[in-house]
Amino acid sequence: MKAIRVEQFGEPEVMKLVEVPPLQPGAGQVLVRMHAVGVNPVETYIRAGTYPRKPALPFSPGNDGAGVVEVVGEGVSEFQSGDRVYLAGSSSGTHAEYALSSTAQVHPLPEPASFAQGAAMGTPYATAYRGLFQRGEAQPNETVLVHGASGGVGTAAVQLARAGGMRVFGTAGTERGKELVRLQGAHEVFNHRAPDYLAQILKATSGRGVDVILEMLANVNLAEDLTILAPRGRVVVIGNRGRVEIDARETMSRDADIRGMVLPNTPTAELARIHAALVAGLENGTLHPVIGRELPLAEAPQAHRAVMEAGAFGKIVLRS
Ligand code: NAP
């Protein structure tokens, strides 16, 4: 089978499409013929060797993807050959023609969703769900700001918050991105590159502030986020690429919380709840992942560059 392999950490070009030995599922594992592979910022940090968790070399990147079950290992009764599934984790890496996952990492892909859409579920939708409901504890009628709403996690968060009965604000850095965020159901859309956008957000809440902020770039925004929070507001730190200085008094005057998260910390039972909700959302049409770009597997280096560029537009997916 063909797979993307990383022999050494470095620039995107360290990823090569090579022939590797076929995979066999062990007990409790599922072998999936991949059709679409989700590309996330985290895979670029891991490939570069800058992420705290480093896999042993060589490795195939990737946690996310969707395809068809090829064969199941001993003791697997939940899935059978031919099932359409999406993956939320893989021991072999999803940047490949085939991938191995444990049954807990495999979820049914309901018919209306394409394989490319399935490849958006494992990290972006699960992160958005956990950030919004489990860490942010957002409630119907509350105002949620998705700070960075045009990318993989942000578009998912806007759809989930809108379906959950919240008043939804989203930001993007381009007009095209703003229009995309509006189409996902945001009530109000702002440009996070406009000088006065924080004042506009505050004005849209008649000065009260927002209840929950899902923050995609905390090192740039956290200090200002605290100034546009309502009393008892929560900022959920989802993305961060550097250090930031805050005035802690802004949290004191509001009884506000700053809550960090990384998806791999999610307890097993809570992760199972997340995916049960996401599968239901795909089934009933509430969730409709936006695929901005599809590239062949061999172009993984281009995809890794693109996912780190400004001007996000939904999800970037590799065709396997
Ligand atoms: P993505 O698809 O590349 O989207 C990035 C988003 O950040 C876009 O909406 C982009 O908007 C926005 N952005 C850029 N500059 C911004 C600014 N100054 N203020 C606010 N937003 C800004 O990435 P993703 O997959 O959605 O992931 C988003 C972040 O969350 C990444 O840093 C990723 O590493 C992190 N993440 C964390 C977890 C976790 O478990 N904690 C899980 C998944 C992802 P424009 O391009 O329109 O400017």
Side-chain angles (χ1 to χ4, degrees):
M1 65 172 230
K2 285 198 161 48
I4 295 286
R5 270 289 199 268
V6 174
E7 300 275 347
Q8 56 181 18
F9 297 111
E11 294 296 305
E13 286 66 31
V14 298
M15 293 189 290
K16 308 278 185 220
L17 187 64
V18 296
E19 195 68 31
V20 298
L23 299 167
Q24 296 295 334
Q29 288 187 320
V30 176
L31 179 70
V32 175
R33 172 68 177 95
M34 303 303 292
H35 287 272
V37 178
V39 176
N40 298 290
V42 69
E43 283 111 38
T44 74
Y45 318 148
I46 294 172
R47 183 217 70 236
T50 57
Y51 199 62
R53 180 171 50 80
K54 284 192 186 57
L57 294 165
F59 70 97
S60 292
N63 291 311
D64 297 358
V68 174
V69 173
E70 181 82 5
V71 55
V72 300
E74 197 188 314
V76 174
S77 53
E78 300 92 327
F79 299 99
Q80 58 186 31
S81 153
D83 286 351
R84 282 163 48 92
V85 293
Y86 74 82
L87 302 185
S90 164
S91 52
S92 63
T94 56
H95 286 46
E97 278 181 334
Y98 293 87
L100 276 179
S101 298
S102 66
T103 49
Q105 296 170 321
V106 184
H107 305 281
L109 180 65
E111 198 57 63
S114 67
F115 291 117
Q117 289 180 310
M121 305 309 289
T123 300
Y125 272 77
T127 299
Y129 190 97
R130 180 152 180 79
L132 184 67
F133 295 115
Q134 296 181 341
R135 298 293 291 137
E137 297 178 277
Q139 307 293 326
N141 251 350
E142 285 194 317
T143 302
V144 173
L145 169 65
V146 183
H147 211 167
S150 48
V153 178
T155 48
V158 169
Q159 292 172 14
L160 286 163
R162 183 66 199 250
M166 289 113 208
R167 185 161 180 236
V168 188
F169 293 179
T171 75
T174 62
E175 280 309 308
R176 185 172 174 250
K178 278 177 66 181
E179 186 52 28
L180 177 71
V181 174
R182 200 184 312 280
L183 285 172
Q184 305 322 305
H187 296 94
E188 305 272 354
V189 184
F190 307 89
N191 187 331
H192 49 234
R193 298 210 168 80
D196 63 339
Y197 84 103
L198 294 166
Q200 290 174 28
I201 291 171
L202 213 44
K203 193 168 165 213
T205 66
S206 306
R208 180 181 167 272
V210 300
D211 298 293
V212 176
I213 299 178
L214 300 185
E215 182 51 63
M216 303 304 153
L217 201 54
N219 54 303
V220 173
N221 296 322
L222 185 59
E224 287 74 25
D225 283 347
L226 300 179
T227 69
I228 57 165
L229 273 185
R232 287 168 299 286
R234 291 85 74 196
V235 181
V236 182
V237 177
I238 294 177
N240 182 64
R241 292 180 181 166
R243 296 173 69 86
V244 58
E245 185 175 307
I246 64 162
D247 180 352
R249 180 162 294 280
E250 300 286 357
T251 65
M252 295 159 68
S253 55
R254 297 171 172 80
D255 280 17
D257 291 2
I258 301 169
R259 302 178 181 179
M261 65 159 279
V262 289
L263 191 61
N265 285 349
T266 309
T268 309
E270 290 176 46
L271 195 60
R273 277 183 223 133
I274 291 173
H275 286 288
L278 296 181
V279 170
L282 287 176
E283 258 166 13
N284 65 30
T286 320
L287 303 181
H288 38 89
V290 177
I291 309 306
R293 204 158 159 197
E294 286 189 65
L295 296 164
L297 186 59
E299 291 180 22
Q302 287 90 318
H304 275 219
R305 282 195 195 286
V307 78
M308 295 302 284
E309 281 165 7
F313 197 83
K315 189 75 227 145
I316 298 175
V317 164
L318 296 168
R319 283 187 305 273
S320 180

